[in-house]
């Protein structure tokens, strides 16, 4: 067998391990990635078939419930449906070797997908999205009527086709919440009623403490801990920032205070909390009910947004209407990125801008290197995590930035991967591109087509 045949053949044609070492060395990364993508598409198609089969199980359970009521009407149809659903979940758990709770969730997801999400199921069957994307959509459209479910899928599927499951989950919540402000208010009220604290044991004498609380409260807490940890380290504390934050959280819960420079202080007094809130101007004024957004946390109820504006000790309010003072751009002749410009890049990008990376930004990177003529301007800056900042400079990747902060990553194998910022801002001037010889050209026209 020739090594190229491995990637052109279908499943069952023989493992790559049958190739010699010399043959394996000749397999290009492009061939490998093409085969991986084909396998992923085949897996997605099989998962779509499994979802349809589980949907049939749900149909049979509902039909059996109706038959039970016809034979014995002493119990209502809803009670019979509940009984049959639990029975189907238990049998699925036994057959698939999963827990009954997991089987119940799988049945519910399959029922929603087969009953209300045919476009999503078709995209999964064709390998355009993964099962994780379909599960997110099923969760977001659950409880919607047919028209609303269809509209939600139309809005969500384009994101599902290009984002990782983790990033898509965040984007899906935002898209659905913005499209239906009344629903987000009702959902928040129901979710707030379920607030709680839980603990899960971990290895080596540790545990994970989780608090399910209001997003505004969470923003105040985590920002306060971060500011307090930064101040403690500046005062000479030798612990890492994350260690200080964890220790301060324990001290707050047990003692009500944190210790900085040997003195006990309240967190809010010693490290004033600064929260950034992106909110439509009309919502801030009380004239509209569109939700707000806390970068890095997510959408918040408009009522809570207004409460946060009035409550936060220090709040950076970013109005999302096109107000000149809300969006600021810089064009500097120095390498250092001004603090205000860093804040704008962080707000625009929210997370690392490498393809499908959900990690927090660590570095504000010059798309075109400063040493090669790149400007310190919004149109030439992007937020990257430490790992992908290093990869971009050291592993042979090329990067271009287009209007509205759209990035085109070109891998060493020549493939193009486009990433779009979470927040679209007014267009800065375009950044330089490279010419056919691999050198940097002077300008990029606005109408230059992005590589597909």
């Amino acid at each position: 067998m020739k090594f190229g045949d491995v990637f052109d053949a279908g499943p069952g044609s023989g493992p790559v391990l049958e190739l010699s070492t010399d043959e394996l060395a000749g397999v290009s990364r492009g061939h490998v990635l093409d085969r991986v993508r084909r396998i992923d598409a085949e897996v997605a198609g099989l998962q779509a078939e499994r979802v349809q089969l589980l949907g049939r199980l749900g149909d049979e359970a509902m039909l059996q419930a109706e038959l039970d009521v016809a034979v014995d009407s002493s119990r209502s149809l809803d009670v019979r449906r509940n009984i049959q659903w639990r029975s189907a979940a238990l049998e699925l758990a036994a057959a698939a070797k999963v827990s009954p709770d997991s089987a119940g969730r799988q049945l519910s997801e399959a029922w929603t997908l087969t009953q209300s999400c045919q476009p999503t199921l078709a995209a999964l069957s064709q390998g355009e999205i993964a099962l994780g994307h379909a599960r997110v959509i099923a969760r977001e459209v659950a409880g919607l009527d047919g028209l609303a479910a269809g509209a939600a899928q139309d809005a969500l599927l384009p994101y599902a086709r290009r984002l990782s499951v983790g990033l898509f989950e965040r984007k899906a919540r935002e898209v659905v919440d913005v499209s239906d402000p009344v629903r987000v208010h009702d959902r928040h009220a129901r979710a707030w009623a379920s607030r709680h604290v839980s603990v899960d044991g971990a290895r080596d004498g540790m545990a994970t403490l989780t608090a399910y609380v209001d997003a505004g409260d969470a923003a105040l807490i985590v920002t306060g801990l971060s500011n307090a940890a930064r101040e403690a380290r500046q005062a000479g504390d030798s612990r890492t920032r994350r260690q200080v934050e964890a220790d301060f959280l324990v001290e707050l819960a047990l003692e009500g205070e944190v210790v900085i420079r040997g003195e006990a202080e309240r967190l809010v007094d010693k490290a004033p909390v600064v929260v950034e809130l992106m909110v439509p101007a009309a919502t801030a004024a009380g004239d509209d009910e569109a939700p707000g957004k806390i970068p890095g946390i997510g959408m918040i109820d408009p009522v809570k947004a207004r409460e946060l504006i009035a409550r936060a000790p220090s709040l950076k309010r970013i109005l999302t209407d096109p107000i000149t003072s809300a969006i600021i751009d810089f064009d500097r002749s120095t390498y250092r990125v001004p603090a205000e410009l860093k804040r704008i890049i962080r707000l625009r990008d929210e997370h690392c801008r490498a393809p499908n990376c959900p990690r927090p930004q660590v570095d504000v990177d010059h798309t075109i290197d400063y040493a090669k003529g790149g400007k310190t301007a919004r149109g030439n800056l992007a937020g990257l995590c430490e790992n992908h900042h290093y990869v971009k400079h050291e592993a042979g990747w090329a990067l271009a930035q287009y209007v509205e902060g759209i990035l085109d990553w070109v891998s060493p194998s020549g493939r193009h991967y486009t990433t779009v910022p979470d927040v679209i801002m007014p267009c800065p001037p375009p950044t330089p591109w490279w010419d056919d010889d691999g050198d940097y050209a002077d300008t990029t026209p606005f109408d230059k087509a992005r590589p597909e």
Side-chain angles (χ1 to χ4, degrees), residues 372 433-441:
K372 295 183 178 179
W433 182 245
W434 46 82
D435 59 25
D436 293 337
D437 297 325
D439 297 322
Y440 288 100

Side-chain angles (χ1 to χ4, degrees), residues 35 146 152 157 165 237 261 285 306 344 347 387 392 411 425:
R35 183 60 182 143
L157 279 172
V165 174
D237 197 312
R261 295 188 179 93
R306 287 189 287 270
I344 288 172
L347 289 169
N387 177 42
K392 181 230 175 184
S411 74
M425 296 182 173

Side-chain angles (χ1 to χ4, degrees), residues 164-193:
S164 68
V165 174
L167 292 181
F168 173 64
E169 186 171 15
R170 280 193 260 177
K171 177 58 70 175
R173 287 197 299 265
E174 179 180 336
V175 170
V176 173
D177 288 347
V178 169
S179 66
D180 191 354
V182 175
R183 186 169 179 243
V184 72
H185 176 75
D186 295 340
R187 288 170 61 183
H188 176 267
R190 290 194 299 270
W192 189 73

